[in-house]
Amino acid sequence: VSINQSESAQITQRFYFQADRLAKKIQDHFDEQEFILEQLDRALSMSQREPMSRKAFGALAQPALSRFPMLQAIEWVPEIPLDRHAMFEALQKQWLPEFVITQRNASGTIVPALNRPIYYPVTYVEPLVGNQQALGFDLGSNATRKAALLHARRADRPIATEPVTLVQEQGAQQGILLIRRIQSGANAPGFVVTVLRVDDFIGKLLPEGGELTVSLVDVEQNTMIYGTHPTTAREQVSTHSLRFGGRQYH
C-alpha cells in the first residue's frame, strides 16, 4: 500500500508539472504572436510613400514562419473603400491575373464580393501554398471577422476573433485570427494578421508520449475548440487560464 501510494503521488506530481509546463508554453506562443504583429506594424508603418511590396512582406514574414511553424499564415489586409475597388483589383491583377475580392455566399461558396462601403481583402499571405483560398477574401464580409477588425481599429493592441472556420480549411479544425491595425504610413489604414488552425497549433506543442489529454475552451463563447472533455470523474484535471488577443481561454 505504501509503495502504491508513493507511485501514485509521483504520477500526480508529474502530471501537474507537465500540465503547468504545457500551459506556459501555449501562453508563451500566444504572447509571441502579439510580438510578431507589433514588429510587422512597425515595419509597415515605416513605409511612407507607397505600400510595401509583396516580396518585401514575404521577407518580413519568413523569419516568424520559420520560428513558429504552427502558424497557418501571416497576412496583410488593407482597408479599401468602394470607389477604389476596381483600381485596387486591377493593381493586384498585375501580379496575379485571377485576383478578385471575394466573399462566401449563403451556401458557403466563394464568390466575387458584393458592393459594400469598405472592403478588407486578404492581399498578401505567407506562405501562399495552402492558403490560396484566403487570397482576396474580404474579412469584412463575415460578421465575426468584421467585429474583430473594428475592435482592432479602435484598440492599440492585437485582437483575436471568436473561433471561425478558415476560408482555406479543408477539414474540421477551428481557426483563430489575431489582428492588429497598422498605425501609420502608406500601408494604413489596414491590418496585419496571424492565422491559427487550432488543432495544428496545439498539437505541435504537445509533449511526446501522449500522457496528457488536452482541451482548449473559448470562455466567452463557452465553446470547446480543441480536444474533448474528461471521460470519467476520476481523471485528474488541471485547469489554466490563458489570454490571447483580449480573449480568455481555459
Side-chain angles (χ1 to χ4, degrees), residues 21 81 85 100 116 154 163 175 178 196 201 214 229 239 244:
R21 185 168 60 179
H85 180 180
V100 63
R116 58 177 60 91
R154 299 188 300 268
L178 185 68
L196 295 181
F201 179 75
V214 178
H229 289 287
T239 301
F244 182 53

Side-chain angles (χ1 to χ4, degrees), residues 92-164:
Q92 299 307 314
K93 286 178 185 294
Q94 295 177 13
W95 169 77
L96 189 68
E98 60 268 28
F99 184 95
V100 63
I101 299 177
T102 62
Q103 67 177 66
R104 277 195 177 113
N105 63 15
S107 64
T109 304
I110 300 297
V111 297
L114 301 174
N115 285 350
R116 58 177 60 91
I118 298 177
Y119 302 90
Y120 301 94
V122 175
T123 303
Y124 296 167
V125 56
E126 293 291 336
L128 181 58
V129 176
N131 294 300
Q132 295 94 328
Q133 281 279 78
L135 193 63
F137 183 73
D138 177 18
L139 300 187
S141 66
N142 172 265
T144 296
R145 292 168 171 83
K146 185 175 182 180
L149 283 169
L150 297 180
H151 190 178
R153 183 200 272 171
R154 299 188 300 268
D156 191 25
R157 57 184 175 84
I159 298 298
T161 63
E162 298 174 6
V164 297

Side-chain angles (χ1 to χ4, degrees), residues 162-183:
E162 298 174 6
V164 297
T165 299
L166 301 177
V167 178
Q168 60 269 51
E169 179 59 48
Q170 300 297 313
Q173 292 193 43
Q174 292 288 294
I176 302 174
L177 277 59
L178 185 68
I179 302 169
R180 182 182 177 91
R181 70 181 174 94
I182 300 170
Q183 305 286 340

